[in-house]
Amino acid sequence: MNTIENALNKNLNGLCYGNRIILPFNCTFLKVIIEDDIITDFSPASKGIYVREKDDFTELYFLEINNVKETVSKYENIKLVAVEKGDNLFDLKNHKKIALYIEEKHNVKIEKTEDDILFIE
Amino acid sequence: MLKKLKYSFIAFAILLFFGSMKLFAAAAAVSDTLGTTAKPEHAGTLPEVYMVLPFVILLLMIATGPLFYKHFWEKHYPKVSIVLGVVVVVYYLAVLNDEHSLMHTFAEYISFIALLSSLFVASGGILIKVDKESTPMLNVLFLLFGAVIANVIGTTGASMLLIRPFIKMNRERLKPYHIIFFIFVISNVGGALTPIGDPPLFLGFLSGVPFFWVIDNVWFIWIPALLMILLVFYVFDKMNKTEYEKIEYSGKIQFKGFKNLGYLLIIIISVFIDPAVIPGVPSLAPLPFGIREIIMFAVVYFSYKGADTEILKANEFDFEPIKEVAYLFIGIFATMIPALQLIANEAHALGHKLNAGVFYWATGGLSAVLDNTPTYMNFLSAAIGKYSADIGTTLTVTNKMHVMQFVAADQIYLQAISVASVFFGAITYIGNGPNFMVKSISERAGIQMPSFFAYMVKYSIVILVPIYAVIWLLFFYGKG
């Protein structure tokens, strides 16, 4: 199982194909923000997102978007609030804020959100 | 898909342009790009009432699309806007044989989009960081500062520039009301003093209202309205007792992107570069734009190309909001031509029944639920129609000299229209362009904003309508 911290330290990239984003870590999602959609429903009945977990990676399917790369432009990002597997979900200090930038050749750059970027949990 | 849309947009613009060239060729000797001088009137060629339908359909779809069929609307709004616009253009060319109205409208559209896009792009390359702990008084001063600045760089520019530092300052105790009062003050009411402040006033300026008329005639209405809203905000903010972990603040204010401040200055100066404002400025007639618009579009290009990518990234800069304005407004400008002409005609007939209070509430009511720019133009047209009836002649909003004559003679109506179109734009998210932009930036930052109706029921109707009623009582009740 890969951790968020490990992916950030090793500068691992994710992948993006159509409406699917593959992240090289496992975690529990609390919030995903894409454009002006704030997604907090991660249940199987969610209309906005479907999350599938594999041993070493996590897949996100944005159900209302055909192509994430066309939707999220050059300087925009997808924001995530997530908690490492095994960490205490209820301790706010464990909540990690991450930004995903969609790049060329299906690459997804994963960054901790900088101070400049607005991100209110 | 995007390419197809671009081509259809360009094709529509060309249709508007070349369809109008015939008449301009004949009138070129005496006309400028905005039709400031004598031109043949199209008296007797009023459009049929049903030609207002494309305008009504477009405005209704703009109001309901983002709420009830968001994904369809996001995908298809450019096509909807262009198709409805084409219906009116074809009608004017084929049935009324009135190319002048089209050309005049197209020139206004070019000026309008040049100003908005240049302000949008130039301010997108500026980053302000305020590392201070917010207090109710500091927030009030910040909003007041934003209100003043909105008159210099527009409500769009000020909103883009200031919403991020405002959210950052308040991040530990942020509630939706912070964003809502930001929309009230900086995205709307603040920008009532100059034609750069808010799009309707800029369109008024393009139509012949003198630049400084607005500040001369509106400042004494602006101040009480603003103070009342800020007072309510202060009470709200004082009652916000959110507990939060104390953070060390450096107290510093950082400003990045000075180069783009220069571009903003160029935009402001270029507003005055118009043959009607500065004699000697060359007119590019029969082209539907002038030196001013060329400068503004150059600013769009250079301020974007030269912007610091780190600032663009921090601002999450995206062309989508301005692209949306460009597509929607080409449809709005085209489809509102029949409405403008019919309203002016009706006002001519009903003139004696209309007073300043009626203009204030009617302009305000429609500005709240439709876009305030076409609303302003419609009621300016109506006021001129009423004035025409009073003086027994025919004046039109499409002639700058007529507008100037009206402004000089009958100020109370234009005061009511100007104030109401700007102030009431804050009543809904769709009342003014920046409202949606601020909402969208806030949501992208993770703030859950109230829905369309909750915004009205919980905030704007409860707070703003009583304040606007006081403004009506003080300045417009029983006048005109």
Side-chain angles (χ1 to χ4, degrees):
Chain A
M1 191 171 70
N2 274 332
T3 63
I4 299 173
E5 215 47 48
N6 186 40
L8 290 170
N9 290 339
K10 289 183 178 170
N11 285 328
L12 296 181
N13 280 336
L15 292 168
C16 174
Y17 290 91
N19 73 337
R20 174 192 185 200
I21 285 190
I22 306 165
L23 298 171
F25 52 77
N26 302 90
C27 66
T28 303
F29 291 103
L30 297 174
K31 199 176 195 180
V32 173
I33 304 164
I34 180 163
E35 294 282 284
D36 50 8
D37 282 338
I38 302 173
I39 302 169
T40 49
D41 179 3
F42 298 96
S43 71
S46 173
K47 286 182 180 171
I49 202 163
Y50 171 65
V51 180
R52 189 159 72 167
E53 291 193 59
K54 297 283 184 178
D55 286 345
D56 291 325
F57 60 89
T58 307
E59 292 172 309
L60 301 178
Y61 292 86
F62 290 95
L63 303 177
E64 293 186 323
I65 292 169
N66 288 332
N67 192 326
V68 173
K69 186 161 172 41
E70 279 181 11
T71 306
V72 181
S73 63
K74 194 175 171 186
Y75 298 111
E76 289 186 302
N77 57 53
I78 300 169
K79 299 184 186 81
L80 315 173
V81 181
V83 178
E84 299 275 20
K85 289 278 182 189
D87 280 0
N88 179 7
L89 200 80
F90 301 99
D91 184 350
L92 291 179
K93 285 180 186 141
N94 290 331
H95 292 194
K96 295 186 190 301
K97 293 178 180 177
I98 300 156
L100 308 179
Y101 291 90
I102 314 298
E103 298 184 327
E104 293 304 314
K105 295 183 180 171
H106 306 289
N107 262 333
V108 175
K109 195 173 171 190
I110 304 165
E111 286 183 359
K112 254 187 185 164
T113 50
E114 294 166 29
D115 191 39
D116 280 349
I117 289 175
L118 280 185
F119 197 172
I120 309 289
E121 193 183 335
Chain B
M1 168 65 85
L2 276 176
K3 272 188 179 171
K4 268 188 194 171
L5 285 174
K6 268 183 204 163
Y7 292 143
S8 58
F9 180 82
I10 292 165
F12 180 46
I14 290 170
L15 180 65
L16 257 177
F17 176 56
F18 284 104
S20 316
M21 286 296 282
K22 272 195 290 176
L23 183 125
F24 257 72
V30 288
S31 69
D32 65 19
T33 54
L34 292 174
T36 51
T37 49
K39 65 173 176 53
E41 290 298 344
H42 44 269
T45 57
L46 273 178
E48 295 293 338
V49 176
Y50 59 74
M51 282 314 294
V52 177
L53 271 179
F55 182 56
V56 174
I57 292 169
L58 182 56
L59 292 182
L60 283 176
M61 290 189 82
I62 290 170
T64 56
L67 304 170
F68 303 118
Y69 38 96
K70 189 179 173 195
H71 292 288
F72 169 85
W73 183 244
E74 280 174 352
K75 206 172 169 186
H76 299 294
Y77 74 84
K79 282 177 262 180
V80 171
S81 177
I82 286 171
V83 167
L84 291 169
V86 165
V87 170
V88 174
V89 170
V90 169
Y91 175 80
Y92 270 72
L93 289 176
V95 180
L96 296 185
N97 201 22
D98 173 12
E99 296 96 348
H100 175 83
S101 299
L102 296 177
M103 189 60 187
H104 176 86
T105 303
F106 189 52
E108 276 182 349
Y109 171 77
I110 297 276
S111 296
F112 174 81
I113 209 67
L115 177 72
L116 278 196
S117 57
S118 55
L119 287 172
F120 177 82
V121 176
S123 54
I126 296 172
L127 182 67
I128 301 174
K129 285 168 78 176
V130 182
D131 194 30
K132 267 181 181 294
E133 185 177 9
S134 75
T135 62
M137 187 45 79
L138 185 64
N139 280 339
V140 165
L141 292 174
F142 187 98
L143 292 175
L144 189 60
F145 169 76
V148 174
I149 286 294
N151 292 292
V152 184
I153 57 172
T155 49
T156 305
S159 299
M160 283 283 295
L161 213 58
L162 298 176
I163 184 61
R164 291 168 202 283
F166 189 66
I167 292 175
K168 268 271 161 69
M169 259 169 63
N170 288 285
R171 64 186 179 274
E172 300 301 331
R173 53 193 292 277
L174 191 79
K175 303 273 181 202
Y177 77 80
H178 283 104
I179 309 297
I180 287 158
F181 276 90
F182 184 96
I183 292 175
F184 289 174
V185 175
I186 299 181
S187 306
N188 291 277
V189 176
L193 293 183
T194 69
I196 301 172
D198 217 30
L201 303 180
F202 184 64
L203 216 57
F205 169 65
L206 294 176
S207 302
V209 177
F211 190 89
F212 292 105
W213 181 93
V214 192
I215 193 162
D216 282 349
N217 291 277
V218 168
W219 69 268
F220 50 87
I221 306 172
W222 182 83
I223 288 175
L226 202 60
L227 289 181
M228 282 188 272
I229 297 170
L230 288 174
L231 182 66
V232 179
F233 171 77
Y234 183 79
V235 173
F236 264 71
D237 215 23
K238 202 73 183 161
M239 286 171 14
N240 181 352
K241 302 288 181 197
T242 308
E243 287 189 10
Y244 57 92
E245 213 177 301
K246 288 281 175 192
I247 304 172
E248 280 287 311
Y249 289 92
S250 65
K252 280 184 184 166
I253 298 174
Q254 267 186 302
F255 191 98
K256 292 180 185 174
F258 276 100
K259 203 167 37 180
N260 282 41
L261 263 192
Y263 284 122
L264 286 177
L265 191 66
I266 292 172
I267 297 166
I268 294 159
I269 293 168
S270 68
V271 165
F272 299 95
I273 302 178
D274 183 307
V277 181
I278 305 173
V281 170
S283 164
L284 303 186
L287 293 171
F289 52 82
I291 305 280
R292 171 177 56 200
E293 287 71 32
I294 292 174
I295 294 171
M296 287 177 175
F297 284 126
V299 166
V300 171
Y301 180 80
F302 289 112
S303 63
Y304 180 67
K305 284 288 168 196
D308 183 334
T309 51
E310 286 305 309
I311 295 176
L312 293 176
K313 197 174 157 187
N315 282 340
E316 296 174 64
F317 184 84
D318 182 22
F319 276 105
E320 182 59 35
I322 199 67
K323 202 180 85 186
E324 188 174 339
V325 170
Y327 275 118
L328 291 180
F329 271 84
I330 198 160
I332 288 174
F333 271 67
T335 56
M336 78 176 172
I337 303 170
L340 288 178
Q341 293 177 347
L342 288 168
I343 283 181
N345 191 55
E346 283 303 308
H348 198 281
L350 296 170
H352 60 286
K353 292 181 184 168
L354 306 173
N355 60 33
V358 171
F359 273 92
Y360 177 77
W361 286 110
T363 308
L366 286 177
S367 289
V369 290
L370 307 176
D371 191 272
N372 58 1
T373 305
T375 307
Y376 172 95
M377 285 307 290
N378 277 293
F379 282 92
L380 178 60
S381 180
I384 290 175
K386 173 186 160 48
Y387 176 66
S388 301
D390 292 345
I391 62 169
T393 183
T394 303
L395 304 181
T396 67
V397 76
T398 51
N399 187 311
K400 265 191 172 180
M401 300 309 290
H402 290 178
V403 175
M404 287 174 180
Q405 186 186 337
F406 160 72
V407 172
D410 217 353
Q411 309 217 337
I412 188 77
Y413 295 98
L414 187 55
Q415 250 172 5
I417 295 163
S418 303
V419 165
S421 64
V422 177
F423 286 8
F424 282 75
I427 297 282
T428 67
Y429 283 135
I430 55 169
N432 195 15
N435 302 4
F436 239 106
M437 279 164 50
V438 168
K439 176 180 180 276
S440 171
I441 289 171
S442 306
E443 284 173 338
R444 284 162 200 238
I447 303 159
Q448 196 82 53
M449 291 295 290
S451 69
F452 181 85
F453 294 107
Y455 171 91
M456 288 172 69
V457 173
K458 283 188 182 169
Y459 298 97
S460 67
I461 291 177
V462 184
I463 298 164
L464 293 181
V465 173
I467 291 173
Y468 295 165
V470 172
I471 295 294
W472 166 67
L473 282 170
L474 289 175
F475 299 102
F476 303 112
Y477 178 67
K479 292 190 179 166

